[in-house]
Amino acid sequence: MPSKDLLEQAQAASKSNPQHAEQLYKQILSDSAAESTEPEDLRAQEAALINLGELYRDQKNAAGVAEVITLSRAFMSSTAKAKTAKLIRTLLDFFIPIPNSQQTQITVLQDNIQWAKREKRIFLKHSLETRLVGLHLDTRQYKAALASIDTLLTELKRLDDKMILTEVHLLESRVHRGIGNLAKAKASLTSARTAANSIYCPPHLQAALDLQSGILHAEDKDYTTAYSYFFETFENLSSHEEAEQGSGTGGALGALKYMLLCKVMLNLPEDVTSLLSIKLALKYAQMRDVESMRAIARAHQERNLADFEKALRDYRDELSSDPTIRSHLAALYDTLLEQNLLRIVEPYSVVEIEYVANAVGQERQAVEAK
């Protein structure tokens, strides 16, 4: 049966009978069918690869997606290099919604980097290595990330590929920031901006550069400058919805949370309400992530430690999953505790620690230490 007819049958069966669809897709990709160089058969093979990848993605089957990427090599040997790079990126994106698939992705990427090396597909190799660094960063394997970055930068500077050079320097900045080396993080970000200035910088990459600038300024407690960078990022990503999905930084919603965080840290919690009433922010106003920041702003405005702790408990996932928000809220909690203690002890010349601890609702030991 021709590949085109098999493909139509598989697409029809994909919802009602996924197992049968899977068999049909694999039949199209089998060795005998894959030998064909007819344009129609090649199109059917490409569609079969993508559809099979989508099938495994919907089933949350990371091993299945990995198998499809390996199967795609036979097809990629007979097509243009630019097309194969796009196809492999599409297949790798199928891992994103699959939980706990990072280790499988790392193995797949390492395997395909070796394949690209053997096939002398240099640009594909660099693209895959950049993605691998991003995964090492997400899984906090900073040493492995820095080792890959050093090798990549040497090769990229020789080739003068400014686009990937910008991405790698940005990743390097994020890795150094993860380690806690802010001086090197800033130096890498400067290198990324220098490389970006000599090319057309796509909106999603410009947004990522602005976001990193904002994060580093926030680390320096310069929340006013940080806010302006986060606003640039938010505006950029909101007007380019497609970039939001692949930014790797939580997209426009993540930037909005950082903007709200800056307002709270600047002791302007009343600005949170007015900020959420602007046109671009309205569609996010009712989301739990935004609600969590609103609860923090309310507790801070009222200098209420109990409400602050309640917000941290109620919105644990939204507030603790992001290291930037987590570290700044820890500092804010300390400040709030100090303000509460000062408010209680100010009228007295002598105080009992026990009384102060009860008044702020904290352990005696914590209050005594503070």
Side-chain angles (χ1 to χ4, degrees), residues 143-311:
K143 199 173 178 182
L146 284 174
S148 300
I149 285 168
D150 287 343
T151 313
L152 254 174
L153 287 176
T154 309
E155 291 180 23
L156 291 169
K157 281 171 185 169
R158 197 167 58 242
L159 288 169
D160 202 32
D161 187 338
K162 291 285 198 292
M163 182 69 79
I164 297 189
L165 200 58
T166 304
E167 288 180 33
V168 174
H169 276 306
L170 177 59
L171 283 167
E172 186 182 32
S173 175
R174 290 175 61 201
V175 171
H176 283 307
R177 188 249 167 177
I179 294 167
N181 191 334
L182 293 184
K184 282 193 174 178
K186 287 174 191 171
S188 299
L189 183 61
T190 304
S191 301
R193 286 197 174 279
T194 306
N197 285 340
S198 57
I199 53 163
Y200 163 72
C201 195
H204 71 92
L205 186 55
Q206 185 59 55
L209 288 167
D210 287 337
L211 189 75
Q212 183 67 0
S213 297
I215 287 170
L216 293 179
H217 278 288
E219 293 282 3
D220 283 340
K221 305 285 185 281
D222 182 1
Y223 295 110
T224 308
T225 309
Y227 177 84
S228 62
Y229 276 116
F230 292 142
F231 189 78
E232 286 286 328
T233 307
F234 177 63
E235 223 173 20
N236 194 338
L237 289 178
S238 295
S239 53
H240 293 87
E241 286 295 331
E242 73 284 353
E244 203 173 313
Q245 301 305 317
S247 67
T249 51
L253 178 60
L256 178 60
K257 276 177 77 175
Y258 290 157
M259 285 160 65
L260 296 172
L261 176 72
C262 287
K263 288 295 183 189
V264 173
M265 298 306 288
L266 283 165
N267 211 9
L268 298 168
E270 62 279 0
D271 284 8
V272 167
T273 310
S274 55
L275 176 56
L276 290 172
S277 61
I278 64 170
K279 189 182 174 185
L280 285 175
L282 279 173
K283 65 175 175 180
Y284 303 101
Q286 302 309 314
M287 291 186 178
R288 263 186 75 84
D289 286 271
V290 173
E291 276 297 327
S292 66
M293 295 309 297
R294 208 185 261 131
I296 290 289
R298 271 197 303 270
H300 182 52
Q301 194 169 14
E302 292 161 15
R303 295 207 294 181
N304 190 322
L305 208 58
D307 283 357
F308 192 91
E309 286 179 330
K310 186 177 185 298

Side-chain angles (χ1 to χ4, degrees), residues 11 14-15 25 47-61 65 68 90-91 94 98:
Q11 286 169 334
S14 60
K15 290 280 185 282
Y25 286 135
L49 283 167
I50 291 170
N51 292 350
L52 185 58
E54 285 174 344
L55 197 69
Y56 288 136
R57 177 198 64 193
D58 296 341
Q59 292 171 355
K60 303 279 186 279
N61 181 353
V65 176
V68 174
T90 304
L91 293 173
F94 292 152
I98 303 174

Side-chain angles (χ1 to χ4, degrees), residues 22 37 57 77-78 103 137 173 220 224 282 290 293 335 337:
E22 186 183 333
T37 53
R57 177 198 64 193
S77 300
S78 56
Q103 201 47 56
L137 175 64
S173 175
D220 283 340
T224 308
L282 279 173
V290 173
M293 295 309 297
T335 308
L337 178 57

Side-chain angles (χ1 to χ4, degrees), residues 341 344-345 348-360 364 367-368:
L341 292 173
I344 293 161
V345 301
Y348 305 103
S349 54
V350 179
V351 288
E352 279 185 15
I353 296 288
E354 199 67 49
Y355 166 73
V356 179
N358 288 336
V360 293
R364 180 196 165 114
V367 171
E368 198 169 328

